[in-house]
């Protein structure tokens, strides 16, 4: 196992009853060109062989942790992942999806090349059984302001950014300083709420729509089922999103100092401390 000090990225994979798809996801991660990452698998109380499949891959990765917990939903599983991250950057990965060989390398190098940006995003394919992979947009890239990034997160179905977490990479110290968490009361759109909260309190986003992630659309997934719980979750998520946006705008209008200044100081102090300890 590689020492954590040498790792730059944690891939947080939350799984629940995904025995049909998990091996595919793990096999593609084993093919990553850049192995400077840890794989952290959070099993959210699966009742099938998901945990056993994950455990069978433990010795095949250079850095791998598997944690099993009681079933509480994806938001709680992701929050546990946030608590366990010990690398500078992290990203999420769903257990029924898979990635291109350049996936981890892209995020690590993008942050090296754009250290002042607080988020990095990539493009993605939409995949369905019996159909070819469909890239969402034509290849484009560049740096986005806060407003531009927010609009792309909230954008149309053809936005190369959208509100997903699996095509976005975050700075660990920034999330900790801002005390960001996933809303465990939401069944849907908790990822979009998290991204808006993050973007409204940070500066700069680098994005490329070159597709590196394969989003597997299952007819039995939560996104494709309809219930009153989902309806109220969507309502609650949209309220949270616009509260976050208006709160930032109000602080800006009142001339309050952005929280990112507190983060930058904290992050620098943490890096200095780590340098002295190494």
């Amino acid at each position: 196992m590689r020492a954590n000090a040498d790792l730059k990225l944690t891939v947080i994979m939350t799984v629940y009853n995904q025995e049909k798809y998990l091996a595919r996801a793990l096999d593609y991660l084993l093919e990553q060109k850049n192995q400077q990452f840890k794989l952290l698998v959070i099993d959210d109380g699966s009742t099938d062989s998901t945990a056993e499949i994950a455990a069978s891959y433990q010795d095949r990765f250079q850095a791998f942790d598997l944690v099993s917990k009681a079933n509480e939903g994806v938001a709680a599983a992701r929050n546990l992942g946030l608590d366990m991250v010990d690398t500078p950057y992290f990203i999420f990965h769903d257990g029924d999806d898979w990635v291109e060989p350049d996936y981890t390398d892209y995020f690590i190098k993008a942050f090296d090349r754009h250290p002042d940006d607080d988020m990095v995003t990539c493009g993605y394919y939409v995949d369905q059984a019996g159909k070819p992979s469909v890239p969402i947009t034509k290849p484009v890239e560049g740096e986005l302001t806060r407003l531009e990034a927010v609009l792309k997160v909230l954008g149309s179905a053809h936005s190369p950014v959208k509100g997903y977490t699996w095509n976005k990479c975050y700075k660990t110290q920034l999330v900790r300083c801002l005390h960001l968490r996933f809303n465990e009361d939401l069944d849907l759109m908790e990822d979009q709420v998290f991204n808006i909260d993050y973007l409204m309190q940070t500066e700069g986003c680098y994005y490329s729509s070159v597709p590196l992630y394969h989003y597997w659309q299952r007819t039995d997934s939560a996104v494709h089922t309809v219930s009153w719980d989902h309806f109220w979750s969507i309502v609650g998520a949209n309220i949270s999103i616009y509260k976050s946006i208006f709160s930032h705008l109000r602080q800006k209008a009142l001339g309050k100092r952005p929280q990112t200044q507190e983060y930058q100081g904290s992050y620098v102090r943490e890096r200095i401390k780590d340098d002295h300890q190494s």
Side-chain angles (χ1 to χ4, degrees), residues 220-241:
D220 62 340
S221 69
V223 175
H224 294 97
T225 57
V226 179
S227 70
W228 278 109
D229 287 341
H230 289 169
F231 172 78
W232 289 115
S233 183
I234 292 170
V235 171
N238 279 288
I239 291 172
S240 295
I241 286 169

Side-chain angles (χ1 to χ4, degrees), residues 26-39:
L26 297 175
D27 285 340
Y28 275 92
L29 281 171
L30 283 171
E31 298 300 318
Q32 291 303 291
K33 294 179 180 178
N34 192 326
Q35 291 291 320
Q36 286 186 294
F37 72 94
K38 171 192 280 189
L39 177 58

Side-chain angles (χ1 to χ4, degrees), residues 5-54:
D6 297 330
L7 304 177
K8 294 188 175 183
L9 175 70
T10 295
V11 178
I12 303 173
M13 181 181 289
T14 58
V15 293
Y16 174 71
N17 287 353
Q18 290 175 338
E19 63 181 5
K20 294 181 182 179
Y21 312 102
L22 183 57
R24 177 179 66 185
L26 297 175
D27 285 340
Y28 275 92
L29 281 171
L30 283 171
E31 298 300 318
Q32 291 303 291
K33 294 179 180 178
N34 192 326
Q35 291 291 320
Q36 286 186 294
F37 72 94
K38 171 192 280 189
L39 177 58
L40 172 58
V41 179
I42 308 292
D43 174 39
D44 189 34
S46 295
T47 57
D48 61 5
S49 60
T50 294
E52 288 78 8
I53 293 171

Side-chain angles (χ1 to χ4, degrees), residues 30-177:
L30 283 171
E31 298 300 318
Q32 291 303 291
K33 294 179 180 178
N34 192 326
Q35 291 291 320
Q36 286 186 294
F37 72 94
K38 171 192 280 189
L39 177 58
L40 172 58
V41 179
I42 308 292
D43 174 39
D44 189 34
S46 295
T47 57
D48 61 5
S49 60
T50 294
E52 288 78 8
I53 293 171
S56 71
Y57 279 77
Q58 187 155 3
D59 294 335
R60 300 173 66 182
F61 284 90
Q62 296 188 55
F64 181 103
D65 279 334
L66 170 63
V67 178
S68 295
K69 61 182 290 298
N71 178 251
E72 297 177 288
V74 65
R78 285 174 176 164
N79 283 335
L80 177 58
L82 292 181
D83 293 336
M84 297 184 65
V85 171
D86 57 1
T87 56
Y89 317 123
F90 68 89
I91 193 165
F92 294 96
H93 187 315
D94 288 349
D96 51 356
D97 299 333
W98 69 97
V99 295
E100 292 290 308
D102 291 325
Y103 181 69
T104 58
D105 190 62
Y106 164 74
F107 290 109
I108 291 170
K109 288 184 176 177
F111 268 130
D112 286 345
R113 293 167 180 163
H114 305 274
D116 293 332
D117 288 329
D118 290 325
M119 177 185 282
V120 172
T121 82
C122 74
Y124 59 96
Y125 295 98
V126 172
D127 289 84
Q128 294 176 299
K131 296 182 180 181
S133 299
V134 178
I136 291 304
T137 61
K138 296 178 180 179
V140 292
E141 64 178 310
E143 292 187 272
L144 302 173
T145 65
R146 179 190 289 120
L147 176 60
E148 290 170 335
V150 166
L151 290 176
K152 286 190 179 295
V153 166
L154 299 176
S156 69
H158 298 289
S159 167
V161 178
K162 292 290 287 181
Y164 308 117
T165 52
W166 35 250
N167 67 332
K168 298 173 182 63
C169 197
Y170 312 86
K171 291 182 175 178
T172 305
Q173 290 294 339
L174 175 49
V175 169
R176 297 244 166 93
C177 180

